[in-house]
């Protein structure tokens, strides 16, 4: 899956600026952006600040907070000058997204304290599109961004939102700015960057709906894989994730993760939940490894980390894993991760881990 974040940022900013240029003859200081307490000028400056701020987070590899700087306009800057600043800050974010390695993450508070290049691209696009919508409504101009740009945002940072027939209207609804037939109005919202869990020599990188769609159609899901990867089980799990997303029942923290080796950024396998915890607090885990990565203890590290993460959640009381009776290698992995055997028959051996 090619890194399209830079192109999508450019497309989003270009569509926003084109719409707002139709209203540069108005007094942006006096016109309030729809749904906000800010003037259109202040809102446009906020968009520019977000774009360059996200670029700064990625470029500076910020780990614990925001890079401490702010953007200011020169006295006398007119509306056209404001738009030039937005264009320039968008170009900086696009360039940063293009040149940042896929494994790099930087600080962002919502909801898991970090984001990767796709996340920062999607957040920058969201800021540009949504606030241009607000400004355009206040200024009385039309704004309709490209559908593929809206889809990029939805499939990266709104994995919990069921897709609709119109990506732009779905994004507006998901952020409390519009209505969708058959769906209740949204009054509170936040986007959701993918979850990453440390796992010894690995990181478990949450797979987004965009990544799952690519994996399910024989792509790489946005990861650099070792030879022979991803294995069939990872692709099947990605297909299940995609179905849950399309049905509107996907909970990303209970989804699928790629096992990424820290030493070289290569993905070696997949691991994930078969769904959210049931009413008894039970959740089930499945995993696989590319053949080239087997025999190195990666599966044990991943299983230990993910089951530990699950048991730390209040809604989880036990974690289950199953394997075929003949798969003794998998049984050893599960047992090394601390699970105990609870049942066995001709079809499967079941294990349980309790907190």
């Amino acid at each position: 899956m090619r890194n399209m974040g830079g192109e999508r940022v450019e497309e989003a900013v270009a569509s926003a600026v084109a719409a707002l240029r139709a209203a540069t003859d108005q007094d942006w200081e006096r016109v309030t952006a729809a749904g906000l307490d800010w003037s259109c000028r202040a809102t446009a400056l906020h968009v520019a600040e977000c774009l360059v701020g996200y670029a700064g987070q990625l470029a500076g590899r910020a780990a614990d907070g925001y890079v401490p700087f702010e953007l200011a306009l020169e006295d006398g800057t007119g509306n056209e000058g404001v738009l030039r600043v937005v264009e320039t800050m968008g170009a900086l974010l696009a360039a940063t997204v293009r040149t940042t390695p896929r494994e790099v993450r930087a600080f962002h508070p919502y909801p898991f304290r970090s984001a990767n290049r796709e996340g920062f691209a999607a957040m920058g696009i969201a800021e540009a599109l949504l606030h241009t919508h607000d400004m355009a409504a206040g200024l009385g101009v039309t704004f309709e961004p490209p559908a593929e740009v809206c889809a990029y945002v939805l499939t990266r940072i709104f994995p919990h939102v069921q897709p609709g027939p119109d990506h732009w209207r779905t994004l507006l609804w998901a952020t409390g700015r519009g209505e969708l037939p058959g769906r209740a109005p949204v009054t509170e919202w936040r986007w959701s960057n993918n979850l990453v869990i440390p796992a010894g020599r690995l990181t478990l990188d949450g797979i987004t709906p965009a990544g799952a769609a690519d994996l399910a159609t024989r792509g790489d899901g946005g990861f650099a894989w070792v030879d022979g990867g991803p294995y069939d089980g990872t692709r099947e799990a990605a297909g299940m994730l995609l179905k849950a997303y399309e049905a509107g029942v996907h909970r990303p923290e209970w989804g699928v993760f790629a096992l990424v080796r820290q030493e070289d950024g290569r993905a070696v396998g997949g691991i994930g939940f078969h769904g959210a915890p049931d009413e008894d607090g039970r959740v089930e885990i499945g995993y696989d490894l590319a053949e080239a990565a087997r025999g190195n203890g990666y599966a044990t590290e991943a299983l230990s980390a993910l089951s530990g993460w699950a048991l730390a959640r209040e809604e989880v009381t036990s974690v289950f894993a199953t394997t075929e009776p003949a798969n003794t290698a998998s049984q050893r992995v599960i047992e090394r991760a601390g699970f105990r055997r609870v049942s066995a028959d001709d079809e499967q051996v079941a294990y349980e881990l309790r907190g």
Side-chain angles (χ1 to χ4, degrees):
M1 184 170 72
R2 191 166 72 88
N3 176 21
M4 292 293 294
E7 288 87 339
R8 294 295 181 245
V9 169
E10 289 173 338
E11 291 167 4
V13 172
S15 68
V17 169
L20 294 172
R21 278 210 167 103
T24 51
D25 59 335
Q26 299 186 44
D27 187 345
W28 288 12
E29 287 278 17
R30 293 182 177 274
V31 178
T32 301
L36 303 177
D37 295 328
W38 299 335
S39 70
C40 287
R41 182 181 176 89
T43 304
L45 178 59
H46 171 74
V47 171
E49 289 174 331
C50 289
L51 293 170
V52 71
Y54 294 154
Q57 292 299 101
L58 272 180
R61 309 294 195 261
D64 301 313
Y66 291 114
V67 178
F69 72 96
E70 63 181 0
L71 182 66
L73 299 174
E74 290 185 354
D75 290 343
T77 300
N79 294 339
E80 181 59 37
V82 172
L83 292 181
R84 286 181 58 200
V85 172
V86 172
E87 287 179 312
T88 302
M89 300 306 102
L92 289 175
L93 177 57
T96 305
V97 169
R98 285 193 179 99
T99 56
T100 299
R102 71 182 75 210
E103 66 271 14
V104 168
R105 299 187 72 84
F107 172 82
H108 190 276
Y110 304 131
F112 302 121
R113 309 291 291 176
S114 71
N116 60 11
R117 65 188 185 187
E118 284 196 347
F120 279 108
M123 290 187 290
I125 293 167
E127 295 283 0
L129 298 187
L130 295 172
H131 287 317
T132 297
H133 165 270
D134 303 336
M135 288 182 281
L139 294 165
V141 298
T142 301
F143 178 54
E144 183 80 24
E148 62 271 15
V149 174
C150 302
Y152 185 94
V153 174
L154 289 167
T155 56
R156 268 76 177 181
I157 59 173
F158 288 91
H160 51 289
V161 172
Q162 183 178 19
D166 184 306
H167 299 308
W168 178 223
R169 270 71 196 175
T170 301
L171 182 57
L172 291 176
W173 169 81
T175 57
R177 289 172 166 83
E179 298 180 355
L180 279 183
R183 302 195 195 185
V186 173
T187 57
E188 295 183 1
W189 64 273
R190 278 184 177 172
W191 54 52
S192 179
N193 281 291
N194 69 319
L195 172 62
V196 172
I197 300 172
R201 294 168 294 166
L202 309 168
T203 56
L204 310 184
D205 281 25
I207 296 175
T208 65
D214 191 61
L215 283 166
T217 53
R218 313 308 295 179
D220 60 19
F223 298 94
W225 291 85
V226 295
D227 291 343
Y231 206 62
D232 289 343
T234 298
R235 295 197 186 280
E236 292 171 6
M240 293 172 62
L241 185 160
L242 192 59
K243 288 180 180 179
Y245 169 67
E246 291 171 345
V249 297
H250 176 51
R251 292 178 60 184
E253 66 271 32
W254 302 107
V256 183
F257 300 78
L259 280 58
V260 179
R261 200 162 52 193
Q262 292 191 25
E263 67 180 32
D264 59 4
R266 294 275 175 178
V268 300
I271 191 169
F273 299 101
H274 291 188
D278 64 20
E279 59 185 12
D280 296 321
R282 167 178 164 160
V283 67
E284 186 173 350
I285 290 180
Y287 61 90
D288 71 3
L289 285 179
E291 290 186 7
R294 295 175 185 174
N296 295 290
Y298 295 138
T300 300
E301 290 181 26
L303 183 57
S304 297
L306 192 58
S307 57
W309 181 89
L311 287 170
R313 314 273 77 75
E314 290 185 2
E315 64 266 45
V316 175
T317 58
S318 60
V319 180
F320 280 76
T322 63
T323 186
E324 296 175 351
N327 193 344
T328 56
S330 183
Q331 292 169 32
R332 287 194 294 270
V333 166
I334 297 170
E335 291 167 357
R336 283 196 296 267
F339 287 69
R340 66 178 183 88
R341 184 181 296 204
V342 292
S343 67
D345 56 32
D346 292 340
E347 294 185 357
Q348 69 176 23
V349 182
Y351 291 84
E352 180 187 41
L353 181 64
R354 287 185 171 271

